[in-house]
Amino acid sequence: MKSFAPIAIAVAALALLQALTADSPYFTYLALLVGVNVVLAVSLNIVNGLTGQFSIGHAGFMAVGAYTSAFLSLWLHEYHVSALPESVGNQLFFVVSLLAGGGMAALFGFVVGLPSLRLKGDYLAIVTLGFGEIILVVVRNTPALGGALGLSGTPQHTTFFAVWFTVFLVVLFSRRLLASGHGRSLVAIREDEVAAEAMGVDTTGYKVRAFVISSFFAGVAGALFAHFQSIITPGDSFSFVKSMEVVVMVVAGGLGSTTGAVVAAMFLTLLPEGMRAVFQVVGGDNATLSQSIDQLRKPLFGLLLVVLMLTRPQGLFGTHELWDLFKKKRSVAP
Amino acid sequence: MSDALLQASGVTIRFGGLTALTDFNLEVRKGDLQGLIGPNGAGKTTAFNVLTGVYLPTSGEVRVGGARINGQRPHRINRLGLARTFQNIRLFKEMTALDNVRVAIRSTSGWAASMLRSGGFLKEEAQLEARARELLEVMGLSHRADEDAKNLPYGEQRRLEIARALGTSPGVLLLDEPAAGMNTREKADLMVLIRELRARFELGILVIEHDMKLVMGICEKLTVLDHGETIAHGAPAAVRADAKVIEAYLGEAPAHG
Ligand SMILES: Nc1ncnc2c1ncn2[C@@H]1O[C@H](COP(=O)(O)OP(=O)(O)O)[C@@H](O)[C@H]1O
Ligand SMILES: [Mg+2]
């Protein structure tokens, strides 16, 4: 039962935070954006950081989750469970569509991962890159998914609680993973695949499992995203640029560090927003000036990353975790 | 079927035009301590790689615990009871010495139990850690348990490789130049330790060693390779007197790596 204590505490804390911030839509919106990116970064870290593989198509799995859940929600929307009050029924449908989004992404992860992870070398990068592009092309050409114009009308079910509870779960998952034989097997693969295999680790099996789990959480992140955007389109939010953004978060946080991924995802999501606010102040009422300063955002952002990688190539945290700071010598995990 | 834990019959492997191992035969039983020797490039490491499933033999057959393992993946072969160390140390560098050994010890806890940290899981983790610490102690590495493998001195890294291999609870242990890079004293100590391991864990051990004098001291049986061919096989005294062996060793350039 002790292992459920963190979950109970998280539920209470998040519910309280949600209540406290309910009257601040801007804060909530930012918190949703940040939370979705944290889930993406922490889940990608399971593959790229812990297992040492190189996936660059995370946004593709996010898209699978987003479209699957949105499609399902739009369909479920027309029904209601007569035995339940409508709000409870809606929450139930929401949870079902989140899990469906995650599940479908996991299935795609299996199909994409199995053939590419069996081979040695950088096949995964190539295949995930292609997968991300193919998914978008398929969506653009599928009228049922809204085609190029996008899918709108998804019920706006995503709450602060839903997003940050998912954040909590993926972080807890990563942490407990590392304190188990499964997690040690993944890290061993990262460190030396040949030696891991020689020590009885089913390296292919573990790489595929890591990839499927990572895809699942990316799918849930996409599903959460789809339920607070008024419209999802097969464009920027799920493109290769988005995938690279997540890769950058994981690398900047320190490949293999869960808390590093959390911090980097928060920082890198808020930084452009913060810069925008600052530039608006600098530009003042002069709209064209503040717009042209705003265009500095992306190069500045890039420069910052270059500086980080030059001064700290192992990322902010290396492979360390924030919670290691509080740990006594003999490790005791939750 | 014989009661050999490891058996190679007529194993040949070719890399393109190069035949790295020709008609290799070997049997290791419980309690054996055998040596595999030969000049640099003779095919010793290649033999280990074939036995452990890293390479598929071009012809011939390998059996581990009676089961034919040709074409099986190395982790399956390991679980049949065959463990090895690597000549060019392949530790999990960024993991602690303790975790290096823990990776090798099989855990039976499923995903759900691990994520929920069930009672059974916690108990197994405790047992696993105790076992890993015991193996570190056997190899004289207790004081290094919490240090990253990459920070260990060379000789200790070699010993950690052995501790890790022992973690898989093998019936047969293959050691690829375990004393390489050590000084004379360390080498002698290691040879004593290897003998103790055999008794304590009831192992069959096959050790590759470049230094003929060293293996002569501890092994009961030797196989001598040269250019992939087995040029001698038998008791150390007989092997030492063999004309082909003397030639192979005298003909070798003094510098080797
Ligand atoms: N994967 C490989 N591809 C091609 N040649 C190889 C390969 N592995 C080993 N060899 C060759 O096989 C021969 C035996 O090498 P090796 O078994 O490492 O020798 P030893 O361990 O006895 O010093 C060498 O000529 C080596 O270059
Ligand atoms: Mg060798």
Side-chain angles (χ1 to χ4, degrees), chain A residues 192, chain B residues 86-91 93 154 157-158 161 164:
Chain A
D192 191 320
Chain B
F86 294 92
Q87 179 181 354
N88 48 339
I89 300 173
R90 302 192 80 134
L91 290 168
K93 292 198 187 72
Y154 193 75
Q157 291 197 8
R158 288 228 173 263
E161 278 246 344
R164 185 177 66 172

Side-chain angles (χ1 to χ4, degrees), chain B residues 39-46 87-88 176-177 208 210 257:
Chain B
N40 230 351
K44 306 181 295 292
T45 298
T46 302
Q87 179 181 354
N88 48 339
D176 197 344
E177 303 205 20
I208 293 178
H210 201 85

Side-chain angles (χ1 to χ4, degrees), chain B:
Chain B
M1 206 197 305
S2 79
D3 59 344
L5 294 174
L6 171 65
Q7 186 180 34
S9 339
V11 168
T12 297
I13 182 163
R14 275 186 214 100
F15 298 113
L18 175 85
T19 306
L21 202 59
T22 310
D23 192 23
F24 180 71
N25 293 289
L26 181 88
E27 264 191 26
V28 182
R29 289 155 203 278
K30 184 166 142 182
D32 277 1
L33 180 40
Q34 299 192 24
L36 182 58
I37 64 175
N40 230 351
K44 306 181 295 292
T45 298
T46 302
F48 271 23
N49 284 334
V50 175
L51 295 175
T52 57
V54 175
Y55 299 145
L56 188 67
T58 310
S59 63
E61 179 184 79
V62 181
R63 286 179 175 272
V64 175
R68 186 186 148 97
I69 55 98
N70 292 44
Q72 289 211 35
R73 297 201 22 230
H75 76 270
R76 308 264 335 149
I77 296 168
N78 170 265
R79 285 181 199 168
L80 291 171
L82 185 63
R84 71 175 292 182
T85 64
F86 294 92
Q87 179 181 354
N88 48 339
I89 300 173
R90 302 192 80 134
L91 290 168
F92 308 127
K93 292 198 187 72
E94 302 269 339
M95 296 175 93
T96 62
L98 184 70
D99 276 347
N100 266 269
V101 182
R102 280 205 286 191
V103 165
I105 305 175
R106 269 198 87 188
S107 131
T108 55
S109 296
W111 283 84
S114 305
M115 291 309 125
L116 298 174
R117 301 186 68 78
S118 71
F121 166 78
L122 293 174
K123 194 169 145 213
E124 189 184 38
E125 277 292 298
Q127 287 167 347
L128 229 127
E129 181 176 337
R131 172 82 178 144
R133 288 190 185 276
E134 183 193 327
L135 292 174
L136 286 177
E137 193 186 340
V138 169
M139 297 310 297
L141 293 169
S142 287
H143 60 299
R144 297 293 195 188
D146 296 322
E147 250 175 275
D148 281 352
K150 65 174 183 209
N151 295 332
L152 266 52
Y154 193 75
E156 292 188 350
Q157 291 197 8
R158 288 228 173 263
R159 296 213 297 274
L160 181 55
E161 278 246 344
I162 299 176
R164 185 177 66 172
L166 289 171
T168 65
S169 303
V172 175
L173 182 60
L174 308 181
L175 302 173
D176 197 344
E177 303 205 20
M182 292 184 177
N183 63 37
T184 320
R185 209 210 132 87
E186 286 173 322
K187 279 187 185 182
D189 288 347
L190 184 71
M191 291 305 145
V192 173
L193 185 57
I194 288 173
R195 220 189 235 146
E196 286 171 10
L197 292 181
R198 165 178 65 163
R200 176 164 183 165
F201 298 100
E202 303 187 312
L203 293 167
I205 297 181
L206 176 63
V207 51
I208 293 178
E209 175 50 57
H210 201 85
D211 185 338
M212 195 147 134
K213 274 202 220 92
L214 212 61
V215 273
M216 291 275 175
I218 63 160
C219 294
E220 286 112 25
K221 203 190 253 180
L222 295 179
T223 303
V224 190
L225 287 177
D226 190 24
H227 297 295
E229 311 250 5
T230 305
I231 55 168
H233 183 70
V239 164
R240 185 168 27 201
D242 191 292
K244 275 195 266 177
V245 175
I246 294 168
E247 192 195 334
Y249 268 82
L250 290 180
E252 188 198 7
H256 52 72

Side-chain angles (χ1 to χ4, degrees), chain A residues 133-159:
Chain A
E133 292 309 306
I134 290 167
I135 281 294
L136 292 186
V137 170
V138 170
V139 170
R140 276 188 206 117
N141 293 292
T142 308
L145 296 176
L149 293 176
L151 197 60
S152 57
T154 317
Q156 306 287 289
H157 285 327
T158 299
T159 56

